[in-house]
Amino acid sequence: LVLFLISIISFGICEQQLSEKVRQKSFRAMLKQDISWFDQPENPVSVLSHKLAVEASNITKVIDINMAIALGAISSVMASIIIAFILSWAIALVVIPPYLLLLLGGYLQVILTKSLCWY
């Protein structure tokens, strides 16, 4: 439980730091542009400020609590397989096939969800 909380807090900190770095680098790249770049119709101030806000938040959506949970689940599965092989190869042979079925089910769920979405 304590390690889970630490991982959630660390992912939150990483998310915020990444967002800040992306915003700073994007803003610096905009400031290094030539003056005529700002006069182009596709680069008004409102669009540029919107890009600064939206692109950084889109990146932070990648690193969120779901990634921490997935990382915890993967490490738990790997640890259980390693422990099974250390204790007994027969236990390992019993443990591995259900994991393969779970992986197949997750893969099928992702494929079906993507194919059923119409947006």
Side-chain angles (χ1 to χ4, degrees):
L1 183 63
V2 173
L3 292 177
F4 181 71
L5 290 174
I6 290 172
S7 70
I8 289 176
I9 291 170
S10 355
F11 271 100
I13 291 170
C14 289
E15 178 181 340
Q16 292 301 318
Q17 289 176 350
L18 180 64
S19 172
E20 182 180 346
K21 284 181 183 180
V22 167
R23 280 193 182 107
Q24 286 177 355
K25 288 187 178 193
S26 298
F27 186 65
R28 284 189 183 127
M30 286 181 194
L31 290 178
K32 289 182 182 178
Q33 298 297 323
D34 191 29
I35 295 294
S36 62
W37 185 76
F38 294 98
D39 293 334
Q40 295 174 359
E42 63 268 6
N43 296 327
V45 175
S46 60
V47 170
L48 296 177
S49 62
H50 180 65
K51 280 184 181 180
L52 281 176
V54 171
E55 288 178 3
S57 66
N58 285 342
I59 290 176
T60 58
K61 289 178 184 175
V62 173
I63 301 176
D64 61 351
I65 193 165
N66 293 331
M67 191 172 193
I69 291 171
L71 186 63
I74 291 170
S75 62
S76 296
V77 167
M78 296 303 294
S80 67
I81 290 174
I82 290 171
I83 290 171
F85 272 114
I86 290 172
L87 294 178
S88 171
W89 62 269
I91 294 174
L93 291 178
V94 171
V95 168
I96 292 175
Y99 283 140
L100 296 176
L101 289 175
L102 286 172
L103 285 173
L104 178 66
Y107 179 71
L108 290 175
Q109 181 181 5
V110 168
I111 289 176
L112 290 174
T113 303
K114 285 183 180 179
S115 67
L116 293 177
C117 290
W118 49 79
Y119 56 88

